[in-house]
Amino acid sequence: MKISSNSPCPCKSGKKYKKCCKPYHDGDYPKTALLLMRSRFSAYAIGLSNYIIKTTYKTHENFKNPNWKSEIDFFSNNTKFLGLKILDVKNGEQESFVSFKATLLSKSNNDISFSENSRFLKEKDTWFYERGKILKNK
Ligand SMILES: [Zn+2]
């Protein structure tokens, strides 16, 4: 998906992309797990697979998957990212949790929405996505 700086941010914050997730995609570090979570959602929507990989914690099993990047690209290119709703946030110093509902449609318009509780870890002042637990599939 192509997006301009003045477009609404794909994380559905209601802000312009340039005032929301773009600075993180350009290299700034999100100060909170929630900002990282939102910027990862919009990175999926735009198709920034390198950002997804860069912000994933080093222990994630996908680092052993040689097709990871192309799988992210495929998901991004074949999914409509319709909505993001934050359900709960638990902030800690080194560990935070964000629960959210992502409203998604496949290319053939099947509802592939899901809710997840994501765990984030901070290392050297940088937040990373560590893993997610699916809350329910709808
Ligand atoms: Zn955003």
Side-chain angles (χ1 to χ4, degrees), residues 9-13 17 20-22 38-39 42:
C9 193
C11 82
K12 317 294 180 188
S13 61
Y17 177 49
C20 190
C21 294
K22 187 173 189 294
R38 302 196 76 98
S39 68
S42 52

Side-chain angles (χ1 to χ4, degrees), residues 11-34:
C11 82
K12 317 294 180 188
S13 61
K15 298 180 201 164
K16 288 181 177 177
Y17 177 49
K18 69 178 178 188
K19 300 265 187 196
C20 190
C21 294
K22 187 173 189 294
Y24 307 127
H25 297 163
D26 289 346
D28 285 359
Y29 288 108
K31 296 258 189 301
T32 66
L34 178 59

Side-chain angles (χ1 to χ4, degrees), residues 9-136:
C9 193
C11 82
K12 317 294 180 188
S13 61
K15 298 180 201 164
K16 288 181 177 177
Y17 177 49
K18 69 178 178 188
K19 300 265 187 196
C20 190
C21 294
K22 187 173 189 294
Y24 307 127
H25 297 163
D26 289 346
D28 285 359
Y29 288 108
K31 296 258 189 301
T32 66
L34 178 59
L35 290 173
L36 174 59
M37 189 271 134
R38 302 196 76 98
S39 68
R40 285 173 52 91
F41 182 88
S42 52
Y44 274 114
I46 299 167
L48 303 174
S49 47
N50 287 329
Y51 185 79
I52 298 299
I53 293 167
K54 182 182 114 173
T55 56
T56 300
Y57 197 63
K58 60 196 173 190
T59 54
H60 199 286
E61 62 186 13
N62 271 335
F63 282 105
K64 292 179 205 140
N65 172 6
N67 301 317
W68 186 20
K69 184 177 157 50
S70 53
E71 285 171 10
I72 297 168
D73 289 333
F74 183 86
F75 176 71
S76 292
N77 289 329
N78 292 280
T79 304
K80 297 169 194 165
F81 296 79
L82 301 184
L84 174 64
K85 191 174 162 200
I86 305 301
L87 305 173
D88 192 32
V89 180
K90 286 188 173 59
N91 282 314
E93 283 295 309
Q94 306 291 332
E95 178 191 43
S96 292
F97 294 88
V98 179
S99 297
F100 64 90
K101 175 167 188 189
T103 304
L104 310 174
L105 284 181
S106 71
K107 207 169 197 173
S108 49
N109 289 322
N110 287 317
D111 185 354
I112 52 169
S113 301
F114 67 94
S115 297
E116 181 182 308
N117 182 21
S118 298
R119 182 178 187 228
F120 296 86
L121 295 178
K122 191 155 96 174
E123 192 170 275
K124 295 189 182 115
D125 286 331
T126 305
W127 284 104
F128 294 91
Y129 170 83
E130 194 243 357
R131 63 182 143 91
K133 199 173 91 187
I134 297 296
L135 297 173
K136 64 184 171 187

